[in-house]
Amino acid sequence: MSDDGVFKNREAVERELNLPGLVSYSFIGDAAPEYHAKLVATIESVVEPDKIRRRSARPSRSGNYVAYRFEIFHEVFEHVEAIYARVGKLDGTRFVL
């Protein structure tokens, strides 16, 4: 399930995360309900829904985009890589933090 090439220094990121543990994600994406559904489905294609401990969505003032935040419990680093890679490629994603 590994999606290569997400991090410039993979080993340093993996060491810093010190898994197993919670990883916080922030994604900026379209405000459309369809995008939100695709975002959640993409994340749940990598991790089981019970691993998602928190989720929130904060619309921009203009209403054109939303800051989506997730806190996910991970045991393996490859899942972190996969989420970043897949969400980054998702049509409607504007920014991945």
Side-chain angles (χ1 to χ4, degrees), residues 57-76:
R58 183 175 180 179
S60 66
R61 288 184 188 193
S62 66
N64 294 331
Y65 62 89
V66 175
Y68 299 96
R69 300 188 197 292
F70 292 84
E71 212 170 81
I72 302 172
F73 182 81
H74 288 286
E75 295 175 355
V76 295

Side-chain angles (χ1 to χ4, degrees), residues 15-74:
R15 201 172 36 250
E16 192 67 30
L17 289 177
N18 194 29
L19 299 178
L22 289 174
V23 176
S24 296
Y25 295 90
S26 293
F27 307 115
I28 308 298
D30 291 346
E34 297 83 12
Y35 174 78
H36 183 245
K38 287 191 292 184
L39 175 63
V40 171
T42 299
I43 292 170
E44 289 179 353
S45 74
V46 178
V47 297
E48 297 171 8
D50 67 326
K51 300 291 184 185
I52 303 171
R53 302 297 164 83
R54 279 195 195 146
R55 51 179 99 195
S56 67
R58 183 175 180 179
S60 66
R61 288 184 188 193
S62 66
N64 294 331
Y65 62 89
V66 175
Y68 299 96
R69 300 188 197 292
F70 292 84
E71 212 170 81
I72 302 172
F73 182 81
H74 288 286

